[in-house]
């Protein structure tokens, strides 16, 4: 959450349909700039490769953003099985195409991950 020195005092929650290729923070900054809002924050990060609803809080509504951050969330995904990329996501180069990959998916973690434990980013795991 950030507070601007000059701008408008806007209070409320906006559900933004975040577009592909933009980080949650970049989307927040764009909307905050459009509204010229003093104070704004989001309720959790969506990966830049993800699209969907991103709740943005303004003014007094930023006080409830922590409650929304800890709330249960559901995601709907579209997955293409049998293809492995060098980064573990849609942006990487295809390094293997094989139906046997379907059975090994539980052992694989993406190279780029936003997961953290005690402020330390998880190290990438490489499928062997």
């Amino acid at each position: 959450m950030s507070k601007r020195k000059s701008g408008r005092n806007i209070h409320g929650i906006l559900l933004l349909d975040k577009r592909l290729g933009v980080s949650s923070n970049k989307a927040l900054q764009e909307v905050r700039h459009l509204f010229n809002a003093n104070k704004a924050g989001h309720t959790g990060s969506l990966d830049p490769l993800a699209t969907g609803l991103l709740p943005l809080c303004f003014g007094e509504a930023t006080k409830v953003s922590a409650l929304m951050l800890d709330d249960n969330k559901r995601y709907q995904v579209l997955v293409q099985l049998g293809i492995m990329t060098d980064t573990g996501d849609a942006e990487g180069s295809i390094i293997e195409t094989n139906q046997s990959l379907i059975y090994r998916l539980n052992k694989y973690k993406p190279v780029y991950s936003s997961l953290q434990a005690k402020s330390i980013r998880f190290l990438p795991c490489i499928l062997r």
Side-chain angles (χ1 to χ4, degrees):
M1 287 179 271
S2 55
K3 187 169 182 172
R4 299 175 78 183
K5 302 223 186 260
S6 64
R8 296 178 5 183
N9 289 321
I10 297 173
H11 307 284
I13 298 174
L14 173 75
L15 295 177
L16 176 71
D17 187 5
K18 190 187 83 62
R19 68 186 185 276
L20 181 70
V22 176
S23 71
S24 295
N25 187 55
K26 175 71 174 166
L28 170 69
Q29 297 309 320
E30 289 175 356
V31 174
R32 190 180 85 165
H33 178 74
L34 284 173
F35 289 161
N36 193 25
N38 280 332
K39 189 174 181 182
H42 59 74
T43 61
S45 296
L46 281 176
D47 188 275
L49 294 177
T51 60
L53 290 180
L54 177 66
L56 302 179
C57 300
F58 296 93
E60 292 295 312
T62 58
K63 294 177 182 177
V64 299
S65 65
L67 299 173
M68 297 171 86
L69 186 61
D70 293 334
D71 202 8
N72 291 330
K73 298 172 178 75
R74 286 193 261 170
Y75 301 94
Q76 182 178 2
V77 298
L78 176 62
V79 179
Q80 185 173 4
L81 299 175
I83 293 178
M84 180 175 281
T85 65
D86 56 357
T87 59
D89 59 25
E91 289 187 328
S93 301
I94 295 174
I95 57 174
E96 186 178 347
T97 58
N98 190 329
Q99 289 300 327
S100 67
L101 288 175
I102 296 169
Y103 303 107
R104 296 189 282 164
L105 285 175
N106 289 334
K107 298 179 184 176
Y108 179 72
K109 301 290 183 215
V111 174
Y112 301 112
S113 175
S114 62
L115 297 176
Q116 293 185 13
K118 296 182 182 176
S119 299
I120 299 171
R121 234 177 238 293
F122 285 122
L123 296 175
C125 297
I126 298 177
L127 181 65
R128 298 192 199 288

